[in-house]
Amino acid sequence: MSMNGVMRPGHVALRVLDMEAAVRHYTDVLGLVETGRDAQGRVYFKCWDEHDHHSLVLREADRAGLDYLGFKVVDEATLDRLAAGIEAFGIATEAVPAGEHLATGRRVRFTAPTGQVFELYASKDVVGNGMPTVNPGIQPANLKGIAPVRLDHVLVYGADVEGSVALFRDVLGFQVTESVSDKGKYMAAFMSCSTKVHDIAFVGLPGEGKLHHIAFYVDSWSDVLRAADVISMTETSHDLGPTRHGATRGQTVYFFDPSGNRNEAFTGGYMWYPDRPPLQWTPDELPRALFIHEKKLRDEFMSVVT
């Protein structure tokens, strides 16, 4: 994949009900690194192996859920080009000035047809991963909790999956890697802007603008099992797994933060390249696409969103 546009998910901004409880969860259970707090009371975090200043922003509110999801683009010229493309697609954009987020340049914000707010940006301060870039080690000392290496992907709900797929494919340069399709229409679409199996996933279910989960990447299946141990030992609200998806081939465990936002510790999946044929699942095989071992749907897994 030639990264000449959008590079990766850069940050997720979440609403939480109790900031103190949320900070404990994301620090001690997830093992993220707090990198700052701003005058608005927002708290910023990063995964240990991310070099940019933050990938998660928490804001206390009276309801949980997704404020917005930011993607990093390669440079300022690309930011302008993609903003013009979004406007030409028929979606209004909003300019967010540099500094509105700590350590972050200007951002371009827009609402996708599925109802989520997204934004693009080109610059964020580099703070490093706790190790030198010359003769580095394997990992820094004193990692906590699950200790994922990066923000991996986000899965969202909304009715107009076709519209969001068209925007992300035709304007932002994403590709559909896998889908659940019925009579030529997407019920779910997994999309990549990189060589990952997915960077964003859209599911066509009621709940405009809803968040199903944010996923953090760990290095191996044994790390997923260790994440499940951490979830159990800390009395964290467990959702599902450890298990394996059919779609994406990823290995996973799901759990909730204290506000009810679903988290995932994810690993595996295949490498994606533009010449690889996309994979399709039929609706009758949805249980196997979701959980290749159990081959069963759980109503709570499908219906609980924020």
Side-chain angles (χ1 to χ4, degrees):
M1 179 79 66
S2 174
M3 291 189 185
N4 58 5
V6 181
M7 292 194 294
R8 63 175 180 272
H11 54 252
V12 174
L14 286 183
R15 299 186 301 272
V16 297
L17 306 179
D18 181 328
M19 183 62 80
E20 184 178 347
V23 168
R24 284 197 304 268
H25 172 82
Y26 286 101
T27 301
D28 297 334
V29 179
L30 257 296
L32 305 188
V33 179
E34 183 178 331
T35 57
R37 303 190 180 207
D38 66 18
Q40 298 182 43
R42 295 178 296 189
V43 184
Y44 296 72
F45 296 89
K46 64 183 284 295
C47 298
W48 75 261
D49 204 22
E50 293 170 328
H51 288 259
D52 282 359
H53 181 269
H54 61 271
S55 59
L56 177 68
V57 184
L58 303 182
R59 176 176 71 88
E60 191 168 81
D62 59 4
R63 63 187 181 94
L66 178 70
D67 267 343
Y68 45 87
L69 170 62
F71 283 91
K72 190 173 188 181
V73 306
V74 295
D75 55 30
E76 297 290 337
T78 300
L79 183 59
D80 289 334
R81 174 176 63 83
L82 294 177
I86 294 166
E87 291 275 353
F89 187 84
I91 292 177
T93 63
E94 174 192 354
V96 182
E100 195 279 336
H101 261 196
L102 292 183
T104 308
R106 66 187 179 101
R107 292 129 63 202
V108 172
R109 187 173 288 172
F110 60 95
T111 301
T114 42
Q116 291 77 23
V117 176
F118 290 90
E119 56 185 31
L120 307 176
Y121 69 97
S123 64
K124 188 178 286 183
D125 288 358
V126 174
V127 298
N129 67 355
M131 298 186 296
T133 55
V134 177
N135 300 324
I138 300 300
Q139 64 182 35
N142 303 318
L143 295 181
K144 286 183 172 183
I146 294 167
V149 297
R150 67 167 187 261
L151 172 66
D152 191 76
H153 65 269
V154 177
L155 188 147
V156 298
Y157 277 15
D160 191 2
V161 171
E162 294 284 332
S164 285
V165 168
L167 172 65
F168 276 71
R169 180 191 60 215
D170 300 340
V171 177
L172 303 181
F174 286 62
Q175 294 180 302
V176 176
T177 60
E178 292 199 42
S179 67
V180 181
S181 304
D182 185 26
K183 298 177 182 177
K185 292 195 69 176
Y186 291 123
M187 298 173 60
F190 301 83
M191 305 190 75
S192 178
C193 62
S194 62
T195 57
K196 290 157 51 185
V197 66
H198 61 332
D199 293 291
I200 182 73
F202 297 100
V203 174
L205 286 173
E208 209 70 6
K210 295 298 185 179
L211 169 70
H212 186 270
H213 69 266
I214 60 172
F216 298 92
Y217 193 85
V218 295
D219 281 328
S220 69
W221 172 239
S222 65
D223 288 324
V224 172
L225 297 178
R226 193 179 66 82
D229 290 339
V230 171
I231 291 163
S232 177
M233 290 185 294
T234 57
E235 302 292 336
T236 296
S237 178
H238 172 259
D239 183 29
L240 192 147
T243 187
R244 186 169 193 169
H245 295 304
T248 76
R249 303 181 197 163
Q251 295 131 23
T252 178
V253 63
Y254 290 94
F255 51 104
F256 294 99
D257 75 10
S259 301
N261 295 307
R262 184 184 279 104
N263 298 164
E264 179 185 20
F266 176 88
T267 195
Y270 51 83
M271 296 288 286
W272 170 257
Y273 296 102
D275 61 346
R276 184 184 176 104
L279 304 178
Q280 179 184 344
W281 296 81
T282 54
D284 59 303
E285 287 287 358
L286 181 59
R288 195 163 65 94
L290 283 175
F291 305 114
I292 197 78
H293 300 151
E294 300 93 329
K295 304 180 180 66
K296 294 178 182 178
L297 293 181
R298 279 183 49 195
D299 289 343
E300 296 88 352
F301 183 78
M302 301 297 293
S303 62
V304 175
V305 294
T306 54

